[in-house]
Amino acid sequence: MRKHLSKLTSLAASTALALGLSAAVLPASAQDAPVDVTIGWVPPDITGVFKTATNFFELAAKDANQHGFNVQVLTRSPTSPTAFAEQVSIIEDMIQRGVDVIAVSPAEVATVKPALIRAREAGIPVIVVNLLEPIEGVDVSSYIGFDNTQGAEVSAYSVVDYFGGPGVLGAGDKVEVTPETYLDLAFWKDLASKMSDEDKAKIKARGAIIEGVAGGFFSTARLNGFREVLKQFPGIEIVGNTCAGDWNREKGTRCAEDILQANPGNLDFIWAASNEMGLGAMLVAGSQGRLETVEDGATVGDAKVAIFTNDVTPESVDRIAEGKMIAETTHGFADWGWFGTKFAVELACGIEVDKTFDIRPRTVYQVNARNFYPDPKLEAIDWAAIRTNCKKGG
């Protein structure tokens, strides 16, 4: 019955176009028929941050399905974030299935590039989430994400703030903000620009780094951003070699164990480049009685090891609100899923979308944590307008 109705809808639309009529004057039966859209969503993992993104892909689809659409999100991920070839195979399968749109967060950009080219050759629009940097040679319809280098720069400035710089953390000069203030890179750079070299040199701390996949695109970008900021602050020392946690909590835990063992009493912070690894570091430091905590913005007890990280998920927001992690840089995973579905439906409908959608990484800390989860503030989607302008049949 649906196929028959779809054909009638297409015939009515063709007739209307031939007569110069708009979709708004099509018969009610044609206008009311749900439009089928299948989104192939291919994250590199289905836990942590990608579970959050997946949840919001599905929430947006549910919202769309109450307003004239029949959106299905097919989610498949490789067995681990380092199973690069497996992610390519999944994209190839989505092409064979003939999905309407493929949304992908690349485990590694260079690896998935040929598969994305094949998707475009098959006439399937591609949405890339988790980065804004263009993938050379691939006709990507939209990038939803953030600049990974900038995200790590924001985290570095949070460390600077906590150990004496101006801002909203630690004992340095406090800046008046509200919980709604965007503590993004522009905010932090403005504060740093007002500091003298002498003031910058007074900030002292010893820290260690847990990175993602050693040598990978995302890990390298975040490491570069974090280190670039700290060049301005010679009193902040990074000890030992960077430990690769492969974006994984268990491996991040092992890295933290090694770091804490190598630095038994003189380590001030750990920065983990993702929150799965950061949550692992938090658990290790806590189990050893070395976790620095905050209460109402003030450090509780003797100085120990402060945890900083990147990403922001419901779990990590809970830990920040409890004062067990000092600060985290949000990458907008709810936004990925919410707007990923919106853009995918628009592309399936033949509607032009923004080439880039910048999440604008910003600092999440105890005061503003609940702005992000459990109820993130997301812009409502006008599905009725999208449905009216949709050129795709049911």
Side-chain angles (χ1 to χ4, degrees):
M1 178 65 182
R2 175 172 288 173
K3 286 185 176 179
H4 181 63
L5 184 55
S6 174
K7 290 179 181 178
L8 290 176
T9 303
S10 300
L11 179 60
S14 300
T15 303
L17 288 172
L19 294 174
L21 302 176
S22 70
V25 299
L26 288 174
S29 58
Q31 275 287 286
D32 294 341
V35 175
D36 295 329
V37 177
T38 302
I39 303 168
W41 162 228
V42 191
D45 191 8
I46 201 61
T47 63
V49 298
F50 295 105
K51 181 179 186 299
T52 302
T54 300
N55 289 345
F56 281 87
F57 263 103
E58 293 171 350
L59 281 171
K62 183 178 179 181
D63 194 34
N65 292 347
Q66 296 173 355
H67 297 88
F69 289 94
N70 179 33
V71 179
Q72 182 181 10
V73 180
L74 297 180
T75 302
R76 284 189 60 199
S77 71
T79 51
S80 80
T82 55
F84 305 135
E86 193 177 340
Q87 188 177 43
V88 171
S89 295
I90 293 170
I91 295 171
E92 297 282 8
D93 181 63
M94 293 293 185
I95 296 170
Q96 291 300 314
R97 287 172 179 258
V99 298
D100 293 297
V101 180
I102 291 175
V104 59
S105 177
E108 192 53 54
V109 173
T111 307
V112 301
K113 181 176 173 178
L116 299 185
I117 291 173
R118 286 190 287 274
R120 293 300 296 121
E121 289 172 347
I124 300 174
V126 170
I127 296 172
V128 172
V129 300
N130 197 12
L131 77 161
L132 295 179
E133 299 88 339
I135 301 175
E136 186 178 356
V138 182
D139 179 19
V140 174
S141 297
S142 187
Y143 292 88
I144 302 175
F146 61 100
D147 185 299
N148 281 267
T149 302
Q150 291 183 7
E153 287 178 307
V154 170
S155 289
Y157 279 119
S158 297
V159 171
V160 170
D161 175 9
Y162 189 69
F163 290 103
V168 298
L169 307 167
D173 293 339
K174 287 290 191 294
V175 177
E176 290 294 326
V177 298
T178 68
E180 289 71 34
T181 302
Y182 268 44
L183 308 180
D184 60 5
L185 186 58
F187 171 87
W188 292 112
K189 279 187 170 182
D190 180 62
L191 291 181
S193 70
K194 299 171 183 176
M195 299 177 68
S196 66
D197 290 341
E198 183 179 0
D199 288 336
K200 291 179 179 179
K202 290 178 182 177
I203 299 173
K204 307 288 185 182
R206 298 181 81 251
I209 294 175
I210 302 175
E211 69 164 318
V213 177
F217 172 86
F218 298 102
S219 189
T220 300
R222 294 185 194 186
L223 281 176
N224 289 345
F226 192 80
R227 287 171 169 158
E228 190 64 29
V229 169
L230 294 191
K231 286 180 182 178
Q232 306 173 59
F233 302 91
I236 299 180
E237 177 189 0
I238 300 300
V239 301
N241 296 321
T242 298
C243 185
D246 291 349
W247 313 116
N248 177 274
R249 188 177 306 198
E250 183 179 350
K251 291 183 179 180
T253 297
R254 291 201 293 268
C255 281
E257 289 171 343
D258 292 344
I259 289 167
L260 293 175
Q261 183 177 4
N263 299 275
N266 57 350
L267 190 71
D268 299 306
F269 73 90
I270 292 175
W271 172 64
S274 79
N275 78 345
E276 279 295 296
M277 301 185 302
L279 287 163
M282 179 203 73
L283 292 171
V284 173
S287 69
Q288 296 184 13
R290 296 180 64 182
L291 179 66
E292 184 135 307
T293 59
V294 297
E295 186 175 313
D296 297 327
T299 302
V300 178
D302 297 330
K304 297 178 182 177
V305 179
I307 305 297
F308 298 83
T309 186
N310 282 54
D311 285 337
V312 178
T313 62
E315 182 182 3
S316 62
V317 163
D318 285 345
R319 303 295 84 79
I320 292 169
E322 294 165 0
K324 294 180 180 179
M325 292 203 299
I326 305 303
E328 185 170 10
T329 300
T330 179
H331 296 164
F333 298 101
D335 304 62
W336 288 11
W338 189 253
F339 293 104
T341 294
K342 175 181 184 288
F343 290 0
V345 172
E346 288 177 321
L347 287 167
C349 284
I351 299 171
E352 187 175 345
V353 302
D354 292 336
K355 191 69 176 178
T356 59
F357 186 87
D358 191 351
I359 300 300
R360 289 176 59 195
R362 51 200 185 275
T363 300
V364 178
Y365 67 119
Q366 196 171 44
V367 173
N368 70 359
R370 290 305 177 199
N371 281 0
F372 297 89
Y373 295 107
D375 299 310
K377 298 177 180 178
L378 295 168
E379 176 187 327
I381 299 171
D382 189 351
W383 291 114
I386 296 172
R387 176 66 183 87
T388 297
N389 294 307
C390 187
K391 303 175 183 69
K392 187 180 190 297

